[in-house]
Amino acid sequence: MATTVTLQDSMTREPREVAPIDGETYRFYCCGPTVYGVAHIGNFRTFVVQDTFRRVLECAGIATKHVRNVTDVDDKTIRESQAQGQSLRDFTTHWKDKFNNDCVSLNMLKPHIEPGAVDHIDHQIRMIEVLIEKGNAYEKEGSVYFSVKSYPDYGRLSRVADRELRLGAAQTANDSDEYDKDSLADFVLWKGRKPEDGDNYWPSPWGEGRPGWHLECSAMSLEYLGETFDMHSGGVDLMFPHHENEIAQSECCSGSTFVHHWFHITHLLVDGGKMAKSSGNFYTLVDLEEKGYTAEEMRYVFLSGHYRHHLNFTLDSLLASRQAISRLSRFEKALAERAEISEAPAYDAARQIGEAGPFQPAFKALCRDLNTPDALGKIFTAIKSIDTETLAQATAAKLYQQYHFVLAALGLKLVTKDDAAEDIPEDIKAMAEERWQARAAKEWAESDRLRDALAEVGWLVQDGKEDYTVTRK
Ligand code: AMP
Ligand code: ZN
């Protein structure tokens, strides 16, 4: 039987049960990356949280259909491809491949469908035709705009009224794909061709041009998930105007409710501030790997914060993750040894185990508004209460499966830095362990002596609350 999963709905601002409308498959759409450069770790916070959400649903016994688009035609992709002297397709394919590599490193499940806007121009044109026919859109000088005042419900999601942006006030037509959060404007559905678009234009009933960004997601979600589907998600910055515009154009076009549940992820901060290339705090996964950190350590950092709160990233948080992963991994290895199991189950096998045993409180935390930090805490509590040394083989085997069930929900593979990189010589491992034991016994002089001895031969030990790591200096 499926476990109940709840999640905050950004539309009602209340937690709501997550259950498929059709009783079978939970259909959800995530606004994907704009492929005009390398994705940063802020983008990946959002994508990893969405991936974890999908895993939790599937572990809870709910089938999913996950669509994540690629924004491969908009102001930014066109501008940058031209600056690089590349065709739009070559340019976006290059960045899409890079993005997909990072997704694999972060152990993200591949969405079931990853449509690109360029392959759906006809779908977008059809929607615009319907919107014009119904009186929700108008043509002006070869472009088509959505008339915001034609949709009285505009602004429900982001509570436009609270920001004193009044519908019916003098409105301007806005051509840009992204615009200021304080302006309420008729937004563009089809952009008439301009010289700066280069070769990037398509024929339409209104002349040559290209679709506006907001319409892309409406057209692709309609194509793959239908007029009404379960959930739509993105970073919190997308709430207005992007999602607000999607709701307006989709609901006017179909006459039906667009989406049942809205899921927004709060931004990642770096060193307490907004990430920006100009502030020197802009990180990509590759930057971090070059500094010697792993993608799994980054994934762990994402999981260590609740998605509705700002998460402040620092390089130190990666070191803390390394220690935590190492502790989880040592428990896993001890269990595997006791259980006489040599290979961890892959994701599908692990989720089908369907029970978490002593890790059930952790799984429950995930099912309650995706509380990943609480779940991690509860895993450590469970681990502390289990003495692997005394377990019978059959008990260890069962626990091993249950442990992997909850790890699958989190998307942790427990690749420790030691596994991923160099082999630590046995004598160094033994010394480090001896030092940890001395420290635990508060034999400070002995523990310092061993730390210095390790340093002398080129090894650095770093202590965490629960564990330590050894790395080459
Ligand atoms: P983009 O490639 O700019 O279209 O963004 C892809 C996704 O990343 C969207 O869901 C954004 O809302 C999200 N995003 C952008 N910046 C951040 C950030 N600093 N923290 C979390 N999510 C972000
Ligand atoms: Zn979108």
Side-chain angles (χ1 to χ4, degrees):
M1 209 189 68
T3 314
T4 304
V5 179
T6 55
L7 195 83
Q8 182 82 2
D9 176 7
S10 347
M11 178 68 90
T12 59
R13 316 232 163 142
E14 280 175 1
R16 287 181 48 212
E17 187 178 340
V18 172
I21 302 167
D22 68 5
E24 278 180 21
T25 304
Y26 196 79
R27 290 166 294 145
F28 72 108
Y29 185 95
C30 302
C31 292
T34 308
V35 281
Y36 72 108
V38 61
H40 55 62
I41 56 172
N43 301 132
F44 280 114
R45 175 184 203 195
T46 289
F47 297 129
V48 165
V49 166
Q50 291 162 339
D51 174 73
T52 310
F53 170 69
R54 168 173 162 193
R55 287 166 174 274
V56 170
L57 284 191
E58 292 180 348
C59 287
I62 301 171
T64 67
K65 182 169 178 187
H66 176 195
V67 179
R68 187 182 63 217
N69 76 294
V70 178
T71 298
D72 54 7
V73 51
D74 78 329
D75 296 348
K76 290 190 277 206
T77 45
I78 291 181
R79 194 177 55 231
E80 291 301 314
S81 65
Q82 308 232 330
Q84 302 294 320
Q86 285 184 304
S87 74
L88 185 64
R89 188 141 333 235
D90 285 354
F91 175 79
T92 55
T93 303
H94 169 80
W95 290 114
K96 194 163 65 182
D97 291 347
K98 289 242 178 293
F99 174 76
N100 285 332
N101 289 344
D102 285 352
C103 291
V104 171
S105 304
L106 284 163
N107 194 30
M108 286 160 59
L109 298 169
K110 205 171 162 43
H112 300 103
I113 306 176
E114 293 170 276
V118 165
D119 298 326
H120 295 80
I121 305 280
D122 288 351
H123 301 75
Q124 296 165 70
I125 290 178
R126 276 205 297 280
M127 279 188 85
I128 300 173
E129 285 175 328
V130 175
L131 289 170
I132 293 179
E133 209 177 282
K134 291 191 169 182
N136 299 107
Y138 58 91
E139 187 190 346
K140 193 171 134 197
E141 295 157 10
S143 291
V144 181
Y145 297 88
F146 183 90
S147 162
V148 167
K149 67 170 180 288
S150 77
Y151 180 61
D153 274 351
Y154 189 90
R156 261 183 310 151
L157 179 65
S158 62
R159 315 232 162 148
V160 157
D162 296 350
R163 303 208 304 275
E164 297 182 345
L165 299 175
R166 276 176 304 109
L167 295 174
Q171 284 160 15
T172 47
N174 197 313
D175 270 334
S176 148
D177 278 333
E178 281 156 277
Y179 51 88
D180 188 51
K181 66 177 175 11
D182 291 326
S183 71
L184 192 59
D186 284 355
F187 56 91
V188 71
L189 299 169
W190 184 262
K191 296 185 179 207
R193 180 179 166 191
K194 289 195 185 131
E196 57 267 32
D197 292 338
D199 299 334
N200 303 302
Y201 58 86
W202 289 264
S204 84
W206 317 283
E208 287 164 343
R210 62 182 167 101
W213 168 45
H214 309 294
L215 189 64
E216 299 177 0
C217 287
S218 282
M220 290 185 274
S221 60
L222 174 66
E223 175 68 10
Y224 297 105
L225 298 174
E227 284 181 355
T228 302
F229 55 95
D230 293 288
M231 170 176 283
H232 200 118
S233 173
V236 74
D237 57 309
L238 297 189
M239 209 183 247
F240 180 87
H242 184 55
H243 288 158
E244 214 62 271
N245 293 355
E246 281 193 52
I247 296 172
Q249 66 212 358
S250 293
E251 298 207 342
C252 289
C253 192
S254 71
S256 315
T257 302
F258 179 39
V259 164
H260 269 218
H261 201 132
W262 285 89
F263 175 26
H264 287 100
I265 293 105
T266 304
H267 270 193
L268 178 85
L269 303 177
V270 173
D271 297 329
K274 200 175 163 200
M275 207 175 358
K277 276 192 177 138
S278 55
S279 324
N281 66 356
F282 182 99
Y283 291 111
T284 67
L285 205 58
V286 171
D287 294 337
L288 298 175
E289 283 170 346
E290 276 168 6
K291 287 184 192 295
Y293 300 103
T294 67
E296 175 147 83
E297 287 160 0
M298 191 63 239
R299 183 170 180 117
Y300 193 97
V301 172
F302 292 140
L303 296 173
S304 68
H306 190 264
Y307 78 92
R308 282 203 282 131
H309 299 149
H310 279 299
L311 175 62
N312 184 30
F313 171 79
T314 60
L315 289 176
D316 282 350
S317 58
L318 284 168
L319 280 180
S321 293
R322 180 170 299 173
Q323 282 161 352
I325 292 170
S326 161
R327 175 77 185 99
L328 295 174
S329 171
R330 293 203 306 166
F331 177 76
E332 200 262 2
K333 285 186 179 134
L335 265 187
E337 205 170 290
R338 227 44 223 177
E340 295 165 29
I341 296 175
S342 58
E343 209 174 320
Y347 171 68
D348 277 331
R351 76 182 164 85
Q352 276 158 18
I353 291 160
E355 56 168 284
F359 305 102
Q360 183 60 14
F363 186 60
K364 264 193 152 165
L366 291 176
C367 294
R368 262 196 315 262
D369 201 20
L370 200 62
N371 197 334
T372 51
D374 192 24
L376 291 171
K378 291 193 154 88
I379 291 180
F380 281 109
T381 307
I383 284 179
K384 266 194 228 146
S385 70
I386 299 167
D387 179 4
T388 49
E389 295 295 306
T390 58
L391 295 175
Q393 189 267 336
T395 319
K398 183 149 193 147
L399 273 175
Y400 182 83
Q401 305 295 339
Q402 292 164 335
Y403 188 42
H404 272 281
F405 172 76
V406 76
L407 291 174
L410 289 160
L412 290 176
K413 279 168 82 171
L414 304 187
V415 184
T416 57
K417 180 75 182 147
D418 322 351
D419 298 333
E422 60 213 331
D423 279 341
I424 302 172
E426 286 306 320
D427 59 328
I428 300 293
K429 277 193 201 160
M431 252 167 104
E433 184 57 30
E434 212 181 307
R435 195 199 73 91
W436 179 253
Q437 297 305 338
R439 193 174 174 277
K442 299 195 171 29
E443 293 163 8
W444 307 119
E446 178 64 357
S447 132
D448 286 351
R449 186 188 71 75
L450 286 162
R451 177 198 291 265
D452 294 345
L454 282 162
E456 237 166 71
V457 289
W459 293 89
L460 178 73
V461 270
Q462 284 169 296
D463 296 321
K465 261 203 233 126
E466 307 280 345
D467 206 359
Y468 63 93
T469 55
V470 191
T471 43
R472 227 179 252 285
K473 283 219 291 185

